[in-house]
Amino acid sequence: MHTPLYHALARPLLARRRRSAIAAATAAHAELAALRIGPSLAQGPKSGIFAASYGGAPVVVKIDVTGKAADAIRLEAANLAALYPAMAEGPLRLPRPVLHIPEAGIGVTERAKGRRLSDALRGASTARRARAIEQVGAWLALYTAARRRRTSIGPFYWAELQRTLAASAPRAVDRTAALAIAQALASMADTIRGSQITQAVVHGDLTARNLMWDGTVMTGIDTASEAWWPLSKDAARFLVQLTGARPTRRLPGSSAPPPGAIAEADRAALVASGVLRSEPPAVLDFFTGVEIGRRLCRPQTLLTERGRNHALARAWLACHAAK
């Protein structure tokens, strides 16, 4: 598996290769004749995203380069077909599907309004940040509204999964922290076992990078998931990624959380949306640990990312370490 540093250095090359792949697909599929590719927006290990126009209208093009590209594009098309009618207008939206060609690994959707939420929140006032995060919760509630079920949580599965992942963490210091989280999760599992929770077909990667916001309209992108997950897990992923990407700063003499801790204001704003109204609060704490443990077990090269992950782990363990 390539490291984040590898992909940072390789992005220009990846963009050129993926442009060529889109051009080849355009020659093979008449439906793409009206597509004009613009600047690269993102290049990751699994896909490339480009600004573009289609018949003169602004769109975004995604090309999936995995071995399961056709399935991923087909799934995104199905999700948008099912959910777009309820999220086409208003402040909580999905992008309009324009064209999906599974055999080419290409999906085209309208270009969402605004900026990535991760960018929009930089330098935002406390009130604006809280309003945006509450809107994220409202977006998740609407996105999952039609595909939900109540069930009992199976916390020992997640605790054991974290124990297994800990063994694969890239460095000894990562393995130590990941194992401590696994032990804490096992301890917490005894207290929440049997709790009723909501499972839903969630976004699967609900992060501030996969949300667009113009100050009024929140649009979720990259919706190629069919996973039935606990609703609290998607919420936890959002909070953990938001904090890991830009950790909370503690002012001298303030009552702010310790470095790396999820800001109580961020958590409160998400909860205020009502998306977790039926979920025990301890379940969100539990899945916060699951998401932090997952971050520790990914291969990382950049020191800043490693430092943020360990700050998250220390802050969470300070409250939930196994007794």
Side-chain angles (χ1 to χ4, degrees):
M1 182 180 292
H2 295 309
T3 66
L5 179 59
Y6 168 88
H7 288 294
L9 297 174
R11 280 178 193 132
L13 176 60
L14 292 175
R16 286 195 295 272
R17 287 179 176 174
R18 290 162 183 179
R19 282 180 188 277
S20 296
I22 293 172
T26 300
H29 297 275
E31 310 98 296
L32 292 172
L35 188 66
R36 299 292 181 270
I37 301 298
S40 169
L41 298 177
Q43 300 298 323
K46 297 181 180 180
S47 63
I49 301 175
F50 298 86
S53 65
Y54 187 79
V59 297
V60 171
V61 179
K62 174 182 177 180
I63 180 165
D64 191 299
V65 296
T66 67
K68 298 181 178 179
D71 290 341
I73 296 300
R74 193 175 292 113
L75 181 56
E76 180 176 83
N79 280 337
L80 289 175
L83 299 175
Y84 177 74
M87 302 182 74
E89 298 179 349
L92 310 171
R93 299 188 187 182
L94 286 169
R96 179 176 61 85
V98 176
L99 183 66
H100 286 81
I101 305 179
E103 58 269 32
I106 290 176
V108 182
T109 59
E110 72 172 347
R111 197 178 307 172
K113 296 180 179 180
R115 298 186 292 162
R116 288 182 185 270
L117 183 61
S118 52
D119 296 327
L121 289 181
R122 290 185 183 132
S125 68
T126 300
R128 183 176 176 83
R129 181 183 180 91
R131 180 161 59 87
I133 293 173
E134 184 172 350
Q135 197 170 354
V136 172
W139 184 92
L140 179 60
L142 182 57
Y143 182 79
T144 58
R147 299 183 291 184
R148 292 186 177 198
R149 62 192 179 203
R150 295 290 286 175
T151 188
S152 297
I153 189 173
F156 293 101
Y157 164 81
W158 296 101
E160 187 56 35
L161 178 61
Q162 177 57 32
R163 188 182 299 277
T164 301
L165 286 174
S168 67
R171 298 169 182 83
V173 66
D174 301 325
R175 290 192 291 274
T176 299
L179 183 57
I181 287 179
Q183 292 169 339
L185 291 173
S187 179
M188 293 176 72
D190 280 323
T191 66
I192 63 174
R193 64 191 305 177
S195 296
Q196 289 292 299
I197 62 166
T198 301
Q199 278 187 342
V201 179
V202 295
H203 181 283
D205 192 19
L206 187 67
T207 71
R209 293 191 298 260
N210 285 331
L211 293 159
M212 304 293 290
W213 192 55
D214 68 355
T216 301
V217 174
M218 186 75 69
T219 305
I221 59 175
D222 198 13
T223 54
S225 173
E226 59 183 350
W228 281 87
W229 277 1
L231 199 56
S232 292
K233 187 176 188 299
D234 233 25
R237 176 164 295 188
F238 173 79
L239 291 171
V240 169
Q241 190 278 334
L242 185 65
T243 306
R246 184 163 289 271
T248 305
R249 294 183 178 179
R250 187 178 193 179
L251 299 176
S254 75
S255 58
I262 292 171
E264 184 55 40
D266 289 353
R267 177 186 170 121
L270 191 67
V271 170
S273 70
V275 66
L276 302 178
R277 183 180 295 112
S278 301
E279 312 308 295
V283 172
L284 180 59
D285 294 335
F286 180 84
F287 282 112
T288 298
V290 168
E291 288 298 319
I292 294 170
R294 169 183 168 274
R295 287 176 68 92
L296 286 168
C297 297
R298 298 184 308 184
Q300 286 125 16
T301 297
L302 301 180
L303 292 177
T304 52
E305 185 175 3
R306 288 179 58 199
R308 289 170 184 171
N309 291 344
H310 281 275
L312 276 164
R314 287 192 298 270
W316 186 85
L317 285 167
C319 298
H320 304 291
K323 301 298 189 288

